[in-house]
Amino acid sequence: MNVLFAHKVDRLGSHRVIEPAGALPQNAIKLDNTPIPFENEILCEVEALNIDSASFRQISESNDGDARRIGDHIMQTVKERGKQHNPVTGSGGMFIGEVLSIGAQLRERIDLRAGDRIASLVSLTLTPLWIDAVKDVDTATGRVWICGKAILFESGIWAKLPGDIQTEVVLATLDVAGAPAQVRRMAKPGDSVLVIGADGKSGMLACAQAKMATGGSGRVVGVVPDAGTESARLLIEENLVDALVEADAREVLNLVDKVHAALPDLAHLTVNCVNCAGTELSSIICTRENGTVYFFSMATSFTAAALGAEGVGKDVTMIVGNGYAKGHAELALQTLRDHPAIHAYFRKRYAPAQHFEQGN
Ligand code: NAP
């Protein structure tokens, strides 16, 4: 359905909301995803989606990890909602693609032209998306190559793809750009920082920034499920952490014992970068009194965090992981440039997979 001209165009994109009335695109159940831009919109040809890690894990588990079924699942969600907004996890992801056209109202006001390749820096949960076909699903990385189109609103943010970093790596990095930027702001010289899920995308970038921000007098400890993986070893070899704790972050008592051994006074700042549910209490307990917990994970439950902190009588500041911070895209990409070993690992890990064609 096209609601073209049904409403006055809005910079936030409310003219694309089909239901419920009064919602904005992010909290809408359904968007009009007709790939014809209004005068204040940007129309893009989408090359690939980076599905949010918590969302991809949930979709993958409910489809037995089967790439074709995952592709069908994503097609179905987009058909129903007009956007890739996982109804279970509530999260989305982002896309890379090429600008096809820019509405007349916007054209002269932004530094973007048809033909530019960009990464969206707003969530897929609010991005009108049209999928003609899923070409490939990489089950290892949550990357989905499609034939399709997306709309960016006037208020949407985007970044032109840099020339010096491979597209696949940019996609992986910018999806989690909020984490390193927020850690850079929050970690102070001399702090003890605990990064849970340290060997994932956001975790590695967060460790790198924590190390830079805390300096020689600080201490950065990473929690990983398996200290033998390539990414975990890299954290130690590249001095991105001072120590690793090997533990399942859902097992609170086991984790806190191990963290105590690495950080006897616990953490000033705990950064939660896991992609599974049930780690709120671990994050809280491993943080010292009056410390800060930064919940970047999309699998975070507000209820579990709020009641968990109350239940254990811990006075900590808990911060919701805002995916946006001023300058976050450039800072995240610069983190890669400053750390060639992470950059090389990201290149290896997020390289394209084999393609298959999937129906419309
Ligand atoms: P990722 O690359 O998949 O990393 C997740 C990491 O968590 C992996 O290293 C994983 O280890 C580890 N992990 C999983 N279960 C664990 C457990 N029980 N104990 C300890 N570690 C565990 O994910 P990402 O892309 O960095 O994203 C991390 C989180 O941020 C996700 O929840 C994602 O949804 C969220 N996110 C938030 C925003 C925002 O705006 N706030 C934006 C993007 C993403 P294994 O690989 O060994 O399982």
Side-chain angles (χ1 to χ4, degrees):
M1 178 176 51
N2 191 348
V3 292
L4 212 62
F5 307 123
H7 307 282
K8 188 173 176 297
V9 294
D10 165 33
R11 63 182 298 280
L12 301 176
S14 63
H15 53 278
R16 287 268 179 180
V17 172
I18 293 176
E19 64 168 304
L24 283 175
Q26 205 285 326
N27 65 347
I29 292 168
K30 186 165 186 170
L31 297 182
D32 174 11
N33 59 352
T34 309
I36 302 171
F38 284 85
E39 59 264 35
N40 69 341
E41 294 179 340
I42 302 168
L43 175 69
C44 300
E45 181 86 51
V46 177
E47 295 168 26
L49 308 174
N50 191 87
I51 305 293
D52 167 72
S53 180
S55 173
F56 192 79
R57 181 173 173 149
Q58 185 276 324
I59 296 168
S60 180
E61 284 174 358
S62 63
N63 289 285
D64 301 323
D66 183 89
R68 282 178 192 275
R69 284 177 53 196
I70 292 170
D72 286 342
H73 187 118
I74 289 167
M75 290 276 281
Q76 190 57 28
T77 301
V78 172
K79 200 169 160 194
E80 283 168 13
R81 306 201 67 173
K83 56 180 179 170
Q84 175 45 40
H85 189 166
N86 183 328
V88 180
T89 62
S91 55
M94 37 91 69
F95 77 84
I96 50 167
E98 183 180 318
V99 174
L100 289 178
S101 64
I102 303 172
Q105 265 189 32
L106 202 54
R107 212 169 291 153
E108 300 308 319
R109 290 194 277 133
I110 57 174
D111 177 25
L112 199 62
R113 296 289 166 264
D116 285 346
R117 292 181 73 226
I118 60 168
S120 66
L121 295 177
V122 286
S123 173
L124 289 176
T125 62
L126 58 87
T127 303
L129 181 64
W130 177 278
I131 302 184
D132 291 307
V134 172
K135 295 199 289 189
D136 186 15
V137 175
D138 183 358
T139 55
T141 61
R143 188 68 38 79
V144 179
W145 286 268
I146 67 165
C147 286
K149 296 189 172 55
I151 296 283
L152 287 172
F153 301 127
E154 189 177 342
S155 58
I157 49 174
W158 41 264
K160 287 188 198 174
L161 296 183
D164 62 332
I165 301 178
Q166 199 180 330
T167 302
E168 307 298 335
V169 174
V170 173
L171 187 58
T173 305
L174 293 187
D175 178 43
V176 296
Q182 300 283 359
V183 168
R184 180 60 171 261
R185 277 184 193 172
M186 286 186 286
K188 301 284 175 265
D191 274 0
S192 297
V193 179
L194 183 70
V195 180
I196 305 181
D199 57 344
K201 290 192 288 297
S202 55
M204 294 179 88
L205 297 169
C207 286
Q209 284 300 333
K211 216 36 187 149
M212 286 166 79
T214 57
S217 56
R219 187 162 166 79
V220 178
V221 173
V223 176
V224 294
D226 178 356
T229 62
E230 184 180 354
S231 49
R233 281 187 280 112
L234 191 104
L235 290 171
I236 291 283
E237 285 160 14
E238 293 297 315
N239 196 31
L240 300 174
V241 294
D242 296 290
L244 281 182
V245 165
E246 187 179 59
D248 182 331
R250 292 168 295 192
E251 296 173 5
V252 185
L253 297 178
N254 178 43
L255 177 69
V256 75
D257 276 351
K258 291 182 173 175
V259 169
H260 255 303
L263 290 174
D265 295 323
L266 301 176
H268 291 98
L269 171 65
T270 297
V271 185
N272 185 317
C273 292
V274 303
N275 59 357
C276 68
T279 62
E280 295 84 356
L281 201 50
S282 298
S283 308
I284 291 162
I285 285 192
C286 290
T287 307
R288 64 176 71 183
E289 202 65 13
N290 299 316
T292 301
V293 184
Y294 176 59
F295 285 112
F296 188 69
S297 167
M298 286 285 174
T300 304
S301 152
F302 175 86
T303 318
L307 298 180
E310 182 192 78
V312 296
K314 201 78 181 251
D315 187 350
V316 290
T317 300
M318 296 190 282
I319 298 181
V320 174
N322 186 347
Y324 174 70
K326 203 167 181 192
H328 69 330
E330 193 43 47
L331 182 134
L333 295 173
Q334 192 58 40
T335 310
L336 287 184
R337 295 185 186 105
D338 293 342
H339 296 86
I342 306 184
H343 193 166
Y345 172 76
F346 272 34
R347 270 201 300 269
K348 192 168 154 188
R349 175 99 168 83
Y350 300 104
Q354 296 299 309
H355 284 246
F356 67 83
E357 290 292 333
Q358 195 153 325
N360 295 310

